[in-house]
Amino acid sequence: QKEVEQDPGPLSVPEGAIVSLNCTYSNSAFQYFMWYRQYSRKGPELLMYTYSSGNKEDGRFTAQVDKSSKYISLFIRDSQPSDSATYLCAMSVGSNDYKLSFGAGTTVTVRA
Amino acid sequence: GAVVSQHPSRVICKSGTSVKIECRSLDFQATTMFWYRQFPKQSLMLMATSNEGSKATYEQGVEKDKFLINHASLTLSTLTVTSAHPEDSSFYICSAGSGGGDTQYFGPGTRLTVL
């Protein structure tokens, strides 16, 4: 079993829909949770960063962490074609070594 | 803030030559940098962890004599692919650790094509 599980999709939604992405993990020591967005042929871009359980909102993006269920989510409201990308979840134990464990990435297409 | 650059963005070389890729943290100091490889439609594969002033730590299966990593300063790490072959063609991405030891910021990547 992988340390971080993420459905690779692909996921296709119409413009304006809510995109829902999630990851599950097995290591209860993870404390820091991130979502990266990667456009084709580009490096990943840090989108959301959360610590411990709870919700964090930034514009159209909401990240949720449920440590009791070892489950994290990313929601994109009012999705736009420019949101079409691969979304990677990542997490770390925060042991000052910066090491991250990544999900496989979910490819999202928002249709105009 | 937390901008990481890579140079070159794209390189094409002949088989047997060596290629150097630079990774720079532009607005912060990075004691730890990472090098990843990514094949089409696949996730990131960590190749090595580079700490400033010390030898890099390579992941299992990555040839340290083929992928030379140097992290001579707090803002620069280099990856040299020695005697490159067509199977080394890939997308190479670096990242730099920032914050309290818990996250990474990525460069834009370098596409290497070996003919």
Side-chain angles (χ1 to χ4, degrees):
Chain A
Q1 183 188 8
K2 292 182 181 177
E3 198 170 39
V4 181
E5 297 277 2
Q6 182 179 7
D7 187 341
L11 184 63
S12 180
V13 301
E15 184 175 358
I18 295 175
V19 176
S20 175
L21 304 167
N22 57 75
C23 291
T24 58
Y25 62 94
S26 57
N27 187 350
S28 58
F30 287 139
Q31 297 188 70
Y32 301 89
F33 304 91
M34 287 135 274
W35 286 95
Y36 288 87
R37 176 176 63 194
Q38 186 177 23
Y39 291 113
S40 181
R41 299 173 182 262
K42 299 290 184 184
E45 170 194 10
L46 182 62
L47 203 57
M48 298 288 281
Y49 167 87
T50 54
Y51 168 71
S52 198
S53 287
N55 292 2
K56 182 176 182 178
E57 195 171 310
D58 184 0
R60 296 184 295 111
F61 299 90
T62 300
Q64 289 184 348
V65 174
D66 182 347
K67 290 188 71 179
S68 62
S69 301
K70 297 190 181 67
Y71 187 91
I72 69 170
S73 302
L74 177 71
F75 299 97
I76 307 173
R77 291 184 300 280
D78 187 24
S79 58
Q80 305 295 310
S82 58
D83 295 324
S84 298
T86 296
Y87 292 81
L88 296 141
C89 64
M91 44 200 81
S92 75
V93 299
S95 58
N96 292 322
D97 64 359
Y98 303 100
K99 276 282 184 72
L100 296 179
S101 295
F102 289 93
T106 300
T107 300
V108 174
T109 300
V110 180
R111 308 185 305 271
Chain B
V3 178
V4 177
S5 70
Q6 262 182 262
H7 179 80
S9 59
R10 188 169 186 173
V11 57
I12 301 172
C13 68
K14 292 182 178 180
S15 185
T17 60
S18 294
V19 174
K20 180 185 282 189
I21 303 170
E22 290 187 351
C23 177
R24 293 182 185 272
S25 56
L26 298 185
D27 52 1
F28 66 101
Q29 293 184 329
T31 54
T32 305
M33 289 183 167
F34 301 86
W35 287 95
Y36 294 84
R37 189 171 178 176
Q38 187 175 38
F39 291 105
K41 300 188 186 301
Q42 293 189 23
S43 191
L44 303 167
M45 184 188 81
L46 180 64
M47 298 175 66
T49 302
S50 161
N51 288 296
E52 186 262 339
S54 62
K55 289 184 178 180
T57 302
Y58 291 82
E59 296 298 303
Q60 192 172 9
V62 177
E63 300 175 60
K64 61 181 180 182
D65 294 330
K66 179 157 188 69
F67 299 100
L68 300 179
I69 292 171
N70 183 277
H71 191 163
S73 78
L74 288 173
T75 59
L76 174 64
S77 177
T78 60
L79 168 69
T80 301
V81 184
T82 61
S83 187
H85 290 284
E87 58 266 30
D88 298 323
S89 299
S90 190
F91 192 50
Y92 293 87
I93 310 173
C94 73
S95 71
S98 184
D102 49 50
T103 195
Q104 297 174 25
Y105 292 89
F106 287 84
T110 297
R111 184 158 303 280
L112 170 64
T113 302
V114 184
L115 303 176

